[in-house]
Amino acid sequence: MRTEIIRVSTDPVDKHEPAYDLAGKIIKEGGLVAFPTETVYGLGGDALNPESSKKIYAAKGRPSDNPLIVHIAELEALDKIVDSVPKEALKLAEAFWPGPLTMVFNKSDLVPKTTTGGLDTVAVRMPSNEVALEFIKASGGYIAAPSANLSGRPSPTLAEHVYEDMKGRIELILDGGACTIGLESTIVDLTGDGPMILRPGYVSKKMLEEVVGIVTVDPAITGPMDPSVHPKAPGMKYRHYAPKGSLAIVSGSEDKVSDYILKAIGSDKAAGKKVGVITCSSSVGKYSAADFIGDAGIREDEVTISSRLYDLLRQCDENNIDTIYSEEFDTPQLGMAIMNRLMKAAGHTIIKV
Ligand code: TXA
Ligand code: MG
């Protein structure tokens, strides 16, 4: 299969561009189209067509017990795919949709179990990226989409990343430029006693609590992987986002962290390894001895850090880096999401100095 890439205009979006009709036609015929969202690129198929979900799992090489998020373009679309809408969900939708928030509901019969990985619940999100919204509307209104990476690779934040992973596996990529947030949406489960975060993202616990009161966090996502604690979002159990080299997070005071990393660069290089460092702009100058220096941006600018993270991990791969050392990014709003993804990428290797 030949994978076509079409660059669509984004500033402003032109809803009359033929790319949307083409994308809609591919989806309605059961094919797959990758598209930009404000979080990461999605690999879209018709959420109501079981054959499309099967193709998504095959294209990603993803286990079929890992459910897909259904993307909608208007609030009215929600009623058809869920059993009922709890009042907290309406409040959260009002506050954060369209945007980087996914909510889990009990599903209606319309949603095939292939889309939900066999579950009776369905995850739903209304993205704010306007290319995504036009694409969803042109495609019938219900797009199942995981991140458009091969299973196990960092999620794509540029159309080029999607092409690297999905070339020959899908019909079309809508190129809408770089994703602004760069980390997947916050997932909140609304099927239990109270709202529970299943995956941290741009919408933080504090932001959610300002709207609905107390929100809990699935204990399985905060600590190291304990095989007896099952995360409620099946996807969180996999070691996602992993670069090919081995990644370690170095935690401690600024001076101690840079001392440790500098020594490690020396000893790893002496052992014939290529070394990469992921750090803030202000520290980039310290690590000129490394083979790859990933500049995540200034420490106070959390969204730049989150938007660059996956690209930096992919660049380590392109540069054939064997060992990667990353600083900790414990920032106020996005810190929990950034550290959750970094810890998974590192297989929970933290070096405390
Ligand atoms: O930002 C995002 O959410 C991106 C963009 C494309 O919208 N999508 C995304 O999809 O990250 P994916 O498939 O890579 O991650 C979906 C996560 C998985 O961890 C999955 O297990 C969880 O959502 N999930 C989906 N449906 C669920 C459900 N019914 N109950 C619990 N977790 C669910
Ligand atoms: Mg993913």
Side-chain angles (χ1 to χ4, degrees):
M1 179 189 308
R2 194 178 151 264
T3 302
E4 191 177 352
I5 307 184
I6 303 181
R7 172 74 212 206
V8 290
S9 41
T10 46
D11 225 4
V13 166
D14 175 7
K15 51 175 105 172
H16 301 297
E17 256 179 83
Y20 295 109
D21 283 344
L22 173 64
K25 185 166 175 283
I26 292 170
I27 295 294
K28 287 172 187 164
E29 287 170 357
L32 305 182
V33 176
F35 63 102
T37 81
E38 67 279 19
T39 58
V40 299
Y41 272 77
L43 173 57
D46 181 352
L48 307 184
N49 177 351
E51 297 308 313
S52 300
S53 321
K54 284 186 198 155
K55 280 191 197 164
I56 291 175
Y57 290 118
K60 267 185 78 85
R62 171 172 181 154
S64 58
D65 68 346
N66 189 357
L68 307 173
I69 294 174
V70 179
H71 295 67
I72 57 176
E74 18 191 56
L75 196 55
E76 296 72 56
L78 184 63
D79 286 339
K80 271 171 74 176
I81 53 171
V82 304
D83 176 35
S84 65
V85 182
K87 63 176 187 311
E88 291 100 329
L90 272 184
K91 286 189 193 166
L92 291 173
E94 203 173 298
F96 301 112
W97 277 2
L101 176 71
T102 296
M103 289 188 270
V104 177
F105 300 88
N106 289 314
K107 79 175 193 69
S108 76
D109 292 341
L110 195 65
V111 185
K113 282 211 171 176
T114 43
T115 300
T116 64
L119 299 176
D120 291 320
T121 54
V122 62
V124 187
R125 167 159 123 81
M126 190 196 301
S128 60
N129 181 296
E130 287 187 56
V131 174
L133 292 171
E134 286 311 320
F135 162 63
I136 296 165
K137 284 186 220 158
S139 306
Y142 296 99
I143 290 292
S147 48
N149 52 288
L150 282 175
S151 207
R153 294 217 69 203
S155 297
T157 51
L158 292 168
E160 291 76 17
H161 298 159
V162 180
Y163 191 68
E164 266 166 41
D165 283 15
M166 291 297 150
K167 184 182 172 196
R169 294 169 175 260
I170 62 176
E171 281 83 355
L172 174 65
I173 300 170
L174 294 175
D175 178 359
C179 300
T180 49
I181 295 172
L183 293 181
E184 303 84 346
S185 59
T186 306
I187 303 181
V188 177
D189 184 8
L190 293 162
T191 64
D193 288 338
M196 182 190 268
I197 298 176
L198 306 188
R199 178 175 73 181
Y202 178 88
V203 180
S204 65
K205 182 171 186 287
K206 181 163 172 275
M207 288 158 79
L208 294 165
E209 289 186 332
E210 276 162 16
V211 179
V212 287
I214 290 179
V215 174
T216 55
V217 181
D218 183 355
I221 63 176
T222 45
M225 227 42 117
D226 172 348
S228 64
V229 183
H230 297 289
K232 292 188 83 187
M236 298 301 280
K237 70 175 176 272
Y238 299 104
R239 185 185 167 217
H240 271 217
Y241 322 117
K244 290 173 195 152
S246 69
L247 167 65
I249 300 163
V250 187
S251 159
S253 70
E254 211 178 313
D255 287 348
K256 283 190 174 164
V257 167
S258 53
D259 281 353
Y260 181 91
I261 294 179
L262 283 171
K263 281 198 195 114
I265 295 173
S267 54
D268 286 4
K269 288 191 76 156
K273 290 181 180 156
K274 286 187 85 178
V275 188
V277 179
I278 298 178
T279 184
C280 291
S281 303
S282 56
S283 299
V284 159
K286 295 182 195 162
Y287 302 119
S288 49
D291 298 285
F292 171 78
I293 308 166
D295 179 357
I298 58 171
R299 186 167 286 282
E300 292 71 31
D301 183 359
E302 321 186 40
V303 183
T304 301
I305 299 172
S306 74
S307 69
R308 288 188 187 172
L309 183 65
Y310 287 144
D311 184 45
L312 294 177
L313 293 176
R314 280 181 183 255
Q315 285 189 46
C316 287
D317 287 355
E318 273 161 37
N319 289 284
N320 297 311
I321 298 300
D322 301 300
T323 50
I324 310 162
Y325 298 92
S326 175
E327 278 181 33
E328 223 174 1
F329 298 98
D330 231 348
T331 58
Q333 184 192 327
L334 269 151
M336 191 177 180
I338 295 172
M339 290 315 295
N340 170 261
R341 307 310 194 273
L342 255 183
M343 300 263 261
K344 290 182 87 178
H348 290 272
T349 308
I350 304 181
I351 300 164
K352 292 208 180 348
V353 291

PDB file of all heavy atoms in Angstrom, residues 60 62 146-149 155 184 199 240-241, ligand 2:
ATOM      1  N   LYS A  60      -0.626  -0.982  13.904  1.00  0.00           N
ATOM      2  CA  LYS A  60       0.226  -0.570  15.021  1.00  0.00           C
ATOM      3  C   LYS A  60       1.032  -1.712  15.617  1.00  0.00           C
ATOM      4  O   LYS A  60       1.968  -1.485  16.352  1.00  0.00           O
ATOM      5  CB  LYS A  60      -0.648  -0.035  16.161  1.00  0.00           C
ATOM      6  CG  LYS A  60      -0.877   1.428  16.150  1.00  0.00           C
ATOM      7  CD  LYS A  60      -1.645   1.827  17.391  1.00  0.00           C
ATOM      8  CE  LYS A  60      -0.809   1.915  18.653  1.00  0.00           C
ATOM      9  NZ  LYS A  60      -0.124   3.162  18.890  1.00  0.00           N
ATOM     10  N   ARG A  62      -0.454  -3.701  17.729  1.00  0.00           N
ATOM     11  CA  ARG A  62      -0.884  -3.494  19.122  1.00  0.00           C
ATOM     12  C   ARG A  62      -1.755  -4.653  19.570  1.00  0.00           C
ATOM     13  O   ARG A  62      -2.599  -5.119  18.817  1.00  0.00           O
ATOM     14  CB  ARG A  62      -1.698  -2.207  19.160  1.00  0.00           C
ATOM     15  CG  ARG A  62      -2.410  -1.921  20.465  1.00  0.00           C
ATOM     16  CD  ARG A  62      -2.994  -0.530  20.369  1.00  0.00           C
ATOM     17  NE  ARG A  62      -3.680  -0.127  21.566  1.00  0.00           N
ATOM     18  CZ  ARG A  62      -3.830   1.152  21.924  1.00  0.00           C
ATOM     19  NH1 ARG A  62      -3.331   2.107  21.180  1.00  0.00           N
ATOM     20  NH2 ARG A  62      -4.470   1.459  23.016  1.00  0.00           N
ATOM     21  N   PRO A 146      -5.843   5.420  18.195  1.00  0.00           N
ATOM     22  CA  PRO A 146      -4.723   5.394  19.135  1.00  0.00           C
ATOM     23  C   PRO A 146      -3.664   6.357  18.616  1.00  0.00           C
ATOM     24  O   PRO A 146      -3.826   6.925  17.524  1.00  0.00           O
ATOM     25  CB  PRO A 146      -4.230   3.958  19.019  1.00  0.00           C
ATOM     26  CG  PRO A 146      -4.506   3.585  17.598  1.00  0.00           C
ATOM     27  CD  PRO A 146      -5.743   4.365  17.181  1.00  0.00           C
ATOM     28  N   SER A 147      -2.601   6.571  19.370  1.00  0.00           N
ATOM     29  CA  SER A 147      -1.487   7.343  18.840  1.00  0.00           C
ATOM     30  C   SER A 147      -0.923   6.599  17.616  1.00  0.00           C
ATOM     31  O   SER A 147      -0.922   5.373  17.580  1.00  0.00           O
ATOM     32  CB  SER A 147      -0.424   7.503  19.925  1.00  0.00           C
ATOM     33  OG  SER A 147      -0.141   6.258  20.534  1.00  0.00           O
ATOM     34  N   ALA A 148      -0.442   7.380  16.617  1.00  0.00           N
ATOM     35  CA  ALA A 148      -0.102   6.783  15.317  1.00  0.00           C
ATOM     36  C   ALA A 148       1.340   6.284  15.239  1.00  0.00           C
ATOM     37  O   ALA A 148       2.012   6.454  14.232  1.00  0.00           O
ATOM     38  CB  ALA A 148      -0.377   7.803  14.220  1.00  0.00           C
ATOM     39  N   ASN A 149       1.806   5.659  16.329  1.00  0.00           N
ATOM     40  CA  ASN A 149       3.151   5.075  16.354  1.00  0.00           C
ATOM     41  C   ASN A 149       3.038   3.555  16.312  1.00  0.00           C
ATOM     42  O   ASN A 149       1.986   3.002  16.628  1.00  0.00           O
ATOM     43  CB  ASN A 149       3.852   5.477  17.659  1.00  0.00           C
ATOM     44  CG  ASN A 149       2.996   5.151  18.870  1.00  0.00           C
ATOM     45  OD1 ASN A 149       1.985   5.818  19.104  1.00  0.00           O
ATOM     46  ND2 ASN A 149       3.372   4.131  19.620  1.00  0.00           N
ATOM     47  N   SER A 155       5.211   8.168  20.950  1.00  0.00           N
ATOM     48  CA  SER A 155       4.084   8.677  20.157  1.00  0.00           C
ATOM     49  C   SER A 155       4.571   9.766  19.196  1.00  0.00           C
ATOM     50  O   SER A 155       5.506  10.498  19.500  1.00  0.00           O
ATOM     51  CB  SER A 155       3.019   9.259  21.074  1.00  0.00           C
ATOM     52  OG  SER A 155       2.494   8.245  21.894  1.00  0.00           O
ATOM     53  N   GLU A 184       0.055  12.545  25.312  1.00  0.00           N
ATOM     54  CA  GLU A 184      -1.319  12.103  25.168  1.00  0.00           C
ATOM     55  C   GLU A 184      -2.245  12.712  26.228  1.00  0.00           C
ATOM     56  O   GLU A 184      -1.801  13.074  27.321  1.00  0.00           O
ATOM     57  CB  GLU A 184      -1.402  10.567  25.269  1.00  0.00           C
ATOM     58  CG  GLU A 184      -0.545   9.820  24.281  1.00  0.00           C
ATOM     59  CD  GLU A 184       0.888   9.651  24.755  1.00  0.00           C
ATOM     60  OE1 GLU A 184       1.312  10.334  25.723  1.00  0.00           O
ATOM     61  OE2 GLU A 184       1.596   8.838  24.149  1.00  0.00           O
ATOM     62  N   ARG A 199      -4.661   8.181  33.320  1.00  0.00           N
ATOM     63  CA  ARG A 199      -3.407   8.556  32.647  1.00  0.00           C
ATOM     64  C   ARG A 199      -3.253  10.068  32.789  1.00  0.00           C
ATOM     65  O   ARG A 199      -4.145  10.809  32.421  1.00  0.00           O
ATOM     66  CB  ARG A 199      -3.463   8.169  31.157  1.00  0.00           C
ATOM     67  CG  ARG A 199      -2.217   8.562  30.375  1.00  0.00           C
ATOM     68  CD  ARG A 199      -2.250   8.065  28.934  1.00  0.00           C
ATOM     69  NE  ARG A 199      -3.184   8.811  28.109  1.00  0.00           N
ATOM     70  CZ  ARG A 199      -3.415   8.579  26.826  1.00  0.00           C
ATOM     71  NH1 ARG A 199      -2.778   7.580  26.214  1.00  0.00           N
ATOM     72  NH2 ARG A 199      -4.265   9.301  26.145  1.00  0.00           N
ATOM     73  N   HIS A 240       5.640   1.456  27.175  1.00  0.00           N
ATOM     74  CA  HIS A 240       5.497   2.275  25.976  1.00  0.00           C
ATOM     75  C   HIS A 240       6.708   3.138  25.749  1.00  0.00           C
ATOM     76  O   HIS A 240       7.609   3.173  26.544  1.00  0.00           O
ATOM     77  CB  HIS A 240       4.352   3.262  26.197  1.00  0.00           C
ATOM     78  CG  HIS A 240       3.042   2.737  25.786  1.00  0.00           C
ATOM     79  ND1 HIS A 240       2.090   3.510  25.212  1.00  0.00           N
ATOM     80  CD2 HIS A 240       2.527   1.510  25.869  1.00  0.00           C
ATOM     81  CE1 HIS A 240       1.029   2.790  24.979  1.00  0.00           C
ATOM     82  NE2 HIS A 240       1.263   1.574  25.379  1.00  0.00           N
ATOM     83  N   TYR A 241       6.632   3.951  24.750  1.00  0.00           N
ATOM     84  CA  TYR A 241       7.444   5.149  24.603  1.00  0.00           C
ATOM     85  C   TYR A 241       8.946   4.884  24.702  1.00  0.00           C
ATOM     86  O   TYR A 241       9.714   5.756  25.054  1.00  0.00           O
ATOM     87  CB  TYR A 241       7.082   6.187  25.700  1.00  0.00           C
ATOM     88  CG  TYR A 241       5.616   6.271  26.041  1.00  0.00           C
ATOM     89  CD1 TYR A 241       5.142   5.960  27.305  1.00  0.00           C
ATOM     90  CD2 TYR A 241       4.705   6.664  25.072  1.00  0.00           C
ATOM     91  CE1 TYR A 241       3.796   6.056  27.603  1.00  0.00           C
ATOM     92  CE2 TYR A 241       3.357   6.746  25.363  1.00  0.00           C
ATOM     93  CZ  TYR A 241       2.910   6.438  26.632  1.00  0.00           C
ATOM     94  OH  TYR A 241       1.593   6.516  26.930  1.00  0.00           O
TER      95      TYR A 241
HETATM   96 MG    MG B   2      -0.285   5.303  22.464  1.00  0.00          MG
END
